[in-house]
Amino acid sequence: MLDRTHRFRRAGATAAIAIAAVTLASCGDSTGPKNKQNALRPAGKYSHEILDLTRPFFWIAVVIGIGVIGGTIFVALRFREKEGEERAVRQVHGNTVLEISWTVIPAVILAVMAVPTVATIFNLAKKPTGADVVHVTVTARQWWWQFHYDDPGNGVETANELHIPVGAPVELTLQGPPECSPAPCYLNGVIHSFWVPELNGKKDVVPGRTHYLNLQAERPGTYLGQCAEYCGLAHADMRLRVIAHTPDDYRAWVQSQRTAKTTVAALEKGVDNVTWQCASCHSFESGKPGAVGPNLAHLADRTGFAGDKYLMNYDNLWRWVYDAPGRKPLGKLTQRMPAFKDQNMSEAEAQKIACFLLINTATNPNPPPECAGK
Ligand code: CUA
């Protein structure tokens, strides 16, 4: 009987060690998942700074954790009551030295850790300077991200997809949707949080307030982000991607975005804008924000749409036009993409609109075969 208990204990201990080993191995920054959303794989100076702070603190916490847990287990085993050795428990009413020391020691540890932490917070918040700084205003909507490039003469406006040059600091001005009346009122305005783990930490986006966040990428590539503050039904579908280009590619991208590929007049001719009123919510002009929805002047240049939930392709796009609330929970927002299928839009009509957009809002159109003749 005793033997079996012993074996169970040994198996339990082995399992615990194995689980701990696997868990610790998965934390390694060089072996972690390359899911493009891994704060342990920093890809820019701000995220490096955060990880450089996290790493020593992690090991300090490990040492303290092992000390506390080890001490607890040791004391429990060493001083437990054994069979045949029953004894009266000695009553202790406090120990001043012990109590002062376990108050002072953690306070000192926290005070020491605060020094590099506060320094890092100030470093991360420092306003970037230099001629190459890119300024972008980020507006958090329910449920998508609006990016407006602020540099004079830039005229670039996009959604859910932020293009940046490698090596240059990018200063984001984070804000909620514009005020409506009677003030204070923000249409569909709730708190969101902007987070691209491989480029920097999180920053809340709060209606009525202006926050700043810096990004910098050290190599070209796509870095995925996600709204990190619960903001309603489609919170999980409020994603974004940052695409870092070489400086030359970035300049070419800006150039391509500066001129609209289509106009509302062309839209009137191509699809039934009078009935569906696309242009009353969306803008088809470069650099001009839409009244409610994303700017569509270069929609087809984007990798995804609808808060980066769907990849940009014919099938996803026409189904979205046809029945957006059926493709992503939009709840009872006062202003949102309607369910056009309930307003007598036919599937063929939705497909025609998707083709119009894929052909007329792409810098280099590559229409799918379904769009031939449309
Ligand atoms: Cu926006 Cu969660």
Side-chain angles (χ1 to χ4, degrees):
M1 183 65 197
L2 200 78
D3 205 42
R4 192 196 267 173
T5 321
H6 221 81
R7 244 183 292 145
F8 271 129
R9 271 199 203 141
R10 190 174 296 169
T14 314
I17 291 169
I19 290 169
V22 170
T23 312
L24 285 176
S26 66
C27 294
D29 59 341
S30 53
T31 51
K34 292 180 185 172
N35 59 9
K36 299 178 181 178
Q37 237 175 324
N38 184 350
L40 299 175
R41 296 183 66 88
K45 68 172 194 176
Y46 300 107
S47 45
H48 274 294
E49 214 167 308
I50 294 173
L51 187 61
D52 289 348
L53 181 71
T54 310
R55 222 185 257 128
F57 284 7
F58 172 78
W59 290 115
I60 292 173
V62 166
V63 170
I64 294 173
I66 289 175
V68 171
I69 296 166
T72 308
I73 293 173
F74 172 77
V75 168
L77 294 178
R78 175 75 180 73
F79 299 106
R80 76 191 149 150
E81 193 178 77
K82 290 172 192 106
E83 235 175 300
E85 277 182 31
E86 282 87 3
R87 59 181 196 269
V89 176
R90 190 156 63 92
Q91 300 300 314
V92 177
H93 297 280
N95 181 325
T96 313
V97 175
L98 197 61
E99 280 167 24
I100 289 177
S101 46
W102 72 36
T103 306
V104 170
I105 294 172
V108 171
I109 294 174
L110 289 179
V112 169
M113 287 167 76
V115 175
T117 306
V118 172
T120 304
I121 290 171
F122 276 91
N123 260 350
L124 292 174
K126 219 179 272 166
K127 212 175 162 62
T129 50
D132 59 344
V133 182
V134 176
H135 295 95
V136 180
T137 296
V138 180
T139 308
R141 306 278 187 165
Q142 265 174 322
W143 286 276
W144 57 281
W145 299 96
Q146 179 184 351
F147 298 120
H148 185 84
Y149 288 66
D150 298 316
D151 297 306
N154 205 324
V156 176
E157 161 103 15
T158 178
N160 306 314
E161 215 163 282
L162 178 67
H163 293 251
I164 63 171
V166 159
V170 180
E171 188 188 29
L172 304 179
T173 304
L174 305 168
Q175 61 176 28
E179 234 173 299
C180 48
S181 66
C185 144
Y186 301 92
L187 206 58
N188 299 347
V190 298
I191 299 176
H192 305 264
S193 179
F194 185 94
W195 192 28
V196 185
E198 295 183 359
L199 299 182
N200 203 342
K202 297 171 191 171
K203 184 73 78 149
D204 275 6
V205 192
V206 183
R209 293 187 62 114
T210 307
H211 291 169
Y212 298 92
L213 183 74
N214 302 324
L215 300 181
Q216 186 162 339
E218 63 195 6
R219 49 181 184 267
T222 298
Y223 305 96
L224 300 182
Q226 166 72 50
C227 174
E229 173 88 32
Y230 182 69
C231 54
L233 277 181
H235 159 67
D237 294 326
M238 191 172 170
R239 310 172 199 169
L240 70 131
R241 59 181 71 217
V242 176
I243 300 172
H245 301 276
T246 61
D248 282 349
D249 287 354
Y250 174 72
R251 268 190 293 276
W253 178 81
V254 168
Q255 212 49 49
S256 75
Q257 303 298 298
R258 271 186 179 158
T259 4
K261 295 286 293 180
T262 189
T263 58
V264 175
L267 185 74
E268 305 282 351
K269 260 193 238 161
V271 296
D272 190 355
N273 181 53
V274 176
T275 304
W276 310 119
Q277 292 287 310
C278 312
S280 63
C281 290
H282 298 283
S283 163
F284 289 84
E285 231 174 278
S286 281
K288 191 181 163 210
V292 178
N295 174 302
L296 301 186
H298 280 275
L299 173 74
D301 284 349
R302 298 174 200 156
T303 315
F305 67 96
D308 208 34
K309 178 174 185 175
Y310 290 109
L311 285 177
M312 184 69 64
N313 61 41
Y314 168 76
D315 223 45
N316 284 339
L317 194 57
W318 84 255
R319 287 177 200 280
W320 175 260
V321 171
Y322 185 60
D323 179 21
R327 304 280 287 157
K328 173 171 170 172
L330 296 178
K332 292 182 177 145
L333 292 187
T334 22
Q335 294 190 336
R336 60 161 209 196
M337 184 88 174
F340 283 120
K341 72 170 175 135
D342 298 336
Q343 297 178 20
N344 294 325
M345 182 186 272
S346 67
E347 291 192 1
E349 210 150 359
Q351 290 160 356
K352 192 174 167 191
I353 293 172
C355 286
F356 177 88
L357 293 170
L358 288 174
I359 295 167
N360 294 285
T361 66
T363 301
N364 300 303
N366 182 20
E370 290 91 335
C371 291
K374 278 189 183 156

